[in-house]
Amino acid sequence: MSGNIQLLTDTLAAAKAEGRSALIAYLPAGFPTVDGGIEAVRAVLDGGADVVEVGLPHSDPVLDGPVIQTADDIALRGGVRIADVMRTVREAYEATGKPILVMTYWNPIDRYGVERFTAELAEAGGAGCILPDLPVQESALWREHAEKHGLATVFVVAPSSKDKRLAEITKAGSGFVYAASLMGVTGTRETVGAQAQDLVQRTRATTGLPVCVGLGVSNAAQAAEVAGFADGVIVGSAFVKRMLDAPDHAAAIEAVRALAGELAKGVRGQVFTES
């Protein structure tokens, strides 16, 4: 079975055709439980997200701030496994028909086996992988198997990336480019900043792939700001924080569904429109 890179491409193109950015949400698998995590991913998609990144929890998530680290720790203590990540992808895709990616550090894939991981992700209906710590120059084996199985390879670029480096990264990637809006770890911020807009412009000069911005977006106003210059708006910590702050699981599910709805309005420029 082939993966769903084409569904991802078509979804991003459809958002662009509507004159808006795509809303891409992130939630870790196994948080607060495997079943609860699947329910949360479905709620976010039902609430208005176009794409979801399912995080593969890691014991040393170097790109992630304290909110996502807390969720990863809960998932790991609950015994989450790669099979549970694949199940999350499968059930979310089958329930919604929307593109589901996995965001993961390289070590778990390397230990699991590249061929095994890509084959299982494609079979689950996955659209691809975001690999924040895999250097492009060491990615040939991954890209060979991802391409064979119809999966996108999404690399991360940062404000510190020089133009030559941006060109190397975007040439090797597929699906879209993940532009980290600032130097640092994931988490909500008061402002997203001009750095992100500059990075998007410089990245677009090297590629025809959509450029989606993450790190720091937490509300509809910020989503609208980023949507003014990016092809996609990526939100993670804000969803996780809503779940961590909720008094019970039912409230957590409604909280992430509601946030997805608010952010979906934001990427459509409807921040001040009454619902």
Side-chain angles (χ1 to χ4, degrees):
M1 177 176 171
S2 182
N4 273 315
I5 185 172
Q6 192 60 50
L7 175 62
L8 175 64
T9 299
D10 291 348
T11 298
L12 294 172
K16 185 175 183 178
E18 291 175 17
R20 66 174 179 90
S21 283
L23 174 59
I24 302 174
Y26 166 94
L27 282 169
F31 167 70
T33 63
V34 175
D35 288 343
I38 291 169
E39 193 179 355
V41 171
R42 289 177 60 173
V44 164
L45 288 164
D46 290 342
D50 298 291
V51 180
V52 161
E53 306 170 11
V54 172
L56 195 161
H58 194 269
S59 57
D60 185 25
V62 292
L63 187 72
D64 295 307
V67 171
I68 289 174
Q69 285 184 21
T70 298
D72 276 7
D73 186 54
I74 290 168
L76 290 167
R77 282 191 281 115
V80 69
R81 306 180 69 81
I82 288 179
D84 300 315
V85 177
M86 298 299 179
R87 182 184 152 212
T88 302
V89 171
R90 176 182 289 104
E91 294 197 15
Y93 168 64
E94 289 178 350
T96 66
K98 292 186 177 182
I100 316 293
L101 299 123
V102 169
M103 185 165 189
T104 178
Y105 296 96
W106 179 245
N107 182 256
I109 294 177
D110 194 37
R111 290 172 59 188
Y112 197 72
V114 174
E115 168 60 23
R116 181 184 177 195
F117 190 94
T118 51
E120 289 184 8
L121 182 56
E123 192 275 328
C129 243
I130 300 163
L131 301 159
D133 68 340
L134 176 63
V136 169
Q137 61 270 26
E138 297 173 21
S139 67
L141 179 66
W142 164 267
R143 287 187 286 124
E144 175 192 338
H145 287 289
E147 188 173 344
K148 180 172 81 172
H149 289 291
L151 298 169
T153 298
V154 179
F155 289 114
V156 179
V157 297
S160 60
S161 303
K162 303 288 190 244
D163 291 351
K164 182 182 177 185
R165 181 68 177 152
L166 285 177
E168 291 172 357
I169 294 170
T170 58
K171 183 180 179 182
S174 56
F176 64 91
V177 181
Y178 187 127
S181 66
L182 39 77
M183 300 304 293
V185 297
T186 58
T188 61
R189 301 290 197 286
E190 292 301 313
T191 60
V192 179
Q195 273 190 324
Q197 188 165 1
D198 174 69
L199 178 58
V200 169
Q201 289 173 345
R202 292 196 297 119
T203 304
R204 279 188 175 146
T206 72
T207 183
L209 290 173
V211 183
C212 304
V213 170
L215 273 66
V217 177
S218 61
N219 58 48
Q222 290 174 335
E225 177 193 350
V226 174
F229 59 82
D231 299 297
V233 179
I234 303 169
V235 182
S237 294
F239 283 111
V240 176
K241 190 171 189 307
R242 290 264 179 128
M243 292 187 70
L244 288 169
D245 290 348
D248 55 50
H249 183 64
I253 295 302
E254 285 314 306
V256 294
R257 191 193 312 274
L259 179 58
E262 294 163 22
L263 294 166
K265 286 185 176 181
V267 300
R268 289 167 172 80
Q270 300 170 353
V271 180
F272 303 111
T273 302
E274 291 296 324
S275 58

